[in-house]
Amino acid sequence: MNRYQKVFEQLSKIKEGCFVPFVVLGDPSLEQSVKIIEVLIKNGADALEIGIPFSDPLADGPTIQKANLRALSQKNNFFQYFKVLKNLREKNTKLPIGILIYANLIYNQGIDNFYLQCRNSGVDSVLIADVPIEESKIFYQTANKYKINSIYICPPNADDDFLNKISLYAQGYIYVLSRSGVTGTENNNILISKNFIKKIKKYNSLPLLQGFGISDVIQIKEAMLSGLSGVICGSAIINIIEKYLTKEDIMLIKIKNFIKSLKISTKLV
C-alpha cells in the first residue's frame, strides 16, 4: 500500500476528507517557501501538491502565474528543488508529496533522469499539466518504472470515452476540475454535480479530489457532501503569500489560520 492509499484509508476511517494545499516551490524565495510548506504540514495538510516553477503555466490563472514568476526570479535550479523535496521527505515519512510540472521541464531534465530524481527525492506522484492523457504514455511508463504515481486531470465535461481512458491510467487519485478554464478564486461557481461524480465512480474506484477555485469552508463542505474524497487548494493560499510578501511573520500566521479552518471543514461528523 502506497502513501496515498494509506492516507485515504486512514481519513475514511475517521470520516474526514483529504486536504491538499498547493504552492509553488521557491515562491517568494526557496527559504520562505520551505517555511510556508512546513506551516501547511503542521496545520492540516494531508498531502502536498508542489508546483515546479515554469515561465508559461498555461493551466494557471494570474495568481499562480505571478507565483511562478516570483519563484523564477530567484534563479533556483532542479538540484535545489530536489534537495528541498528530499529534505521534506526525510522529515515527513508518511505524507504523500506530489509535484505539478509542465512537460518542457521534464524534457529538459531527460524523462528517465527526471523520474529517477523524483524517486530519489521521495516524491509520490507527478501531474503534468499540459500533457493530455492520449500523449502521456512515455511519461506514464517511465513513472511506473520508478514507482511514481501518475496523476490525471478529469475535466467537468468528460465523456464516457475519456472516463474509460482515465480509469486505465490514473493512479493515486483523480484531480477533478470544478470548471473549465484556469486556476483561480474569481469564479465562485464550482459545485460539481453528484450525478457527474457518480458517473466518474462507475469507471474508477480511485479517490476524487476537487481542484480549481477552492477557497472557503462552505465549498469544502459541499465537496465532501457530494461524494468527493477531498479538495486541492492553491490560489487562495498564494493570495495570502502575495498579500504579505514583505511581512513574513504575518504571512505565516495568516496561512496557518486559513489552513486550519479549511482542514476542519473536511470533517464529515
Side-chain angles (χ1 to χ4, degrees):
M1 188 179 289
N2 64 34
R3 291 188 184 91
Y4 282 115
Q5 291 170 323
K6 289 179 181 176
V7 163
F8 283 114
E9 183 177 291
Q10 290 165 359
L11 289 171
S12 177
K13 286 179 180 175
I14 59 175
K15 298 187 183 303
E16 288 187 14
C18 185
F19 178 69
V20 185
F22 168 88
V23 290
V24 176
L25 192 57
D27 173 37
S29 71
L30 207 54
E31 183 182 60
Q32 287 177 295
S33 188
V34 171
K35 291 180 183 178
I36 291 166
I37 290 170
E38 288 175 346
V39 168
L40 298 175
I41 294 171
K42 289 178 182 175
N43 293 283
D46 296 305
L48 289 176
E49 188 185 50
I50 297 177
I52 302 300
F54 184 52
S55 59
D56 193 19
L58 296 175
D60 293 308
T63 297
I64 296 180
Q65 288 186 12
K66 284 188 283 186
N68 276 279
L69 293 177
R70 286 194 296 271
L72 288 171
S73 72
Q74 300 296 310
K75 300 189 182 303
N76 300 126
N77 55 46
F78 265 77
F79 176 79
Q80 292 169 302
Y81 295 149
F82 279 124
K83 185 177 180 182
V84 168
L85 292 168
K86 190 172 184 178
N87 286 338
L88 283 172
R89 168 55 63 223
E90 289 173 352
K91 293 179 182 176
N92 305 277
T93 56
K94 297 180 180 178
L95 185 78
I97 298 175
I99 61 176
L100 184 151
I101 193 168
Y102 286 81
N104 276 2
L105 296 178
I106 300 178
Y107 280 123
N108 286 342
Q109 296 293 308
I111 296 175
D112 194 274
N113 178 60
F114 168 77
Y115 281 101
L116 172 62
Q117 295 305 312
C118 287
R119 187 187 68 176
N120 291 342
S121 303
V123 169
D124 295 288
S125 69
V126 173
L127 191 168
I128 310 173
D130 57 346
V131 172
I133 195 167
E134 294 83 0
E135 299 176 18
S136 66
K137 189 173 181 180
I138 181 64
F139 301 101
Y140 178 78
Q141 290 176 336
T142 312
N144 285 346
K145 175 181 173 182
Y146 293 109
K147 301 187 185 308
I148 305 293
N149 281 176
S150 295
I151 305 298
Y152 288 96
I153 291 175
C154 178
N157 58 349
D159 58 18
D160 291 304
D161 181 54
F162 183 89
L163 294 176
N164 183 51
K165 286 177 183 171
I166 207 170
S167 72
L168 300 176
Y169 287 89
Q171 300 166 327
Y173 66 89
I174 294 176
Y175 191 134
V176 184
L177 296 189
S178 306
R179 50 176 165 70
S180 301
V182 297
T183 60
T185 60
E186 295 79 11
N187 187 342
N188 291 322
N189 183 22
I190 64 164
L191 188 62
I192 300 175
S193 77
K194 291 183 180 179
N195 285 338
F196 184 60
I197 294 169
K198 287 180 181 176
K199 186 176 177 183
I200 303 173
K201 289 183 175 179
K202 283 183 181 177
Y203 287 87
N204 206 306
S205 60
L206 284 177
L208 308 178
L209 300 186
Q210 180 180 359
F212 277 36
I214 298 293
S215 62
D216 63 45
V217 298
I218 294 174
Q219 293 169 337
I220 295 177
K221 283 289 185 188
E222 289 176 342
M224 295 300 98
L225 293 173
S226 65
L228 293 160
S229 298
V231 295
I232 300 169
C233 176
S235 294
I237 298 169
I238 294 173
N239 278 334
I240 298 174
I241 295 173
E242 182 178 343
K243 187 174 181 179
Y244 297 101
L245 276 178
T246 60
K247 300 174 182 176
E248 182 185 295
D249 290 346
I250 299 176
M251 177 207 293
L252 297 178
I253 291 172
K254 293 285 186 183
I255 292 173
K256 171 185 172 183
N257 294 336
F258 184 57
I259 295 303
K260 277 188 171 181
S261 68
L262 296 189
K263 174 53 194 170
I264 288 172
S265 64
T266 70
K267 296 183 179 181
L268 291 169
V269 292

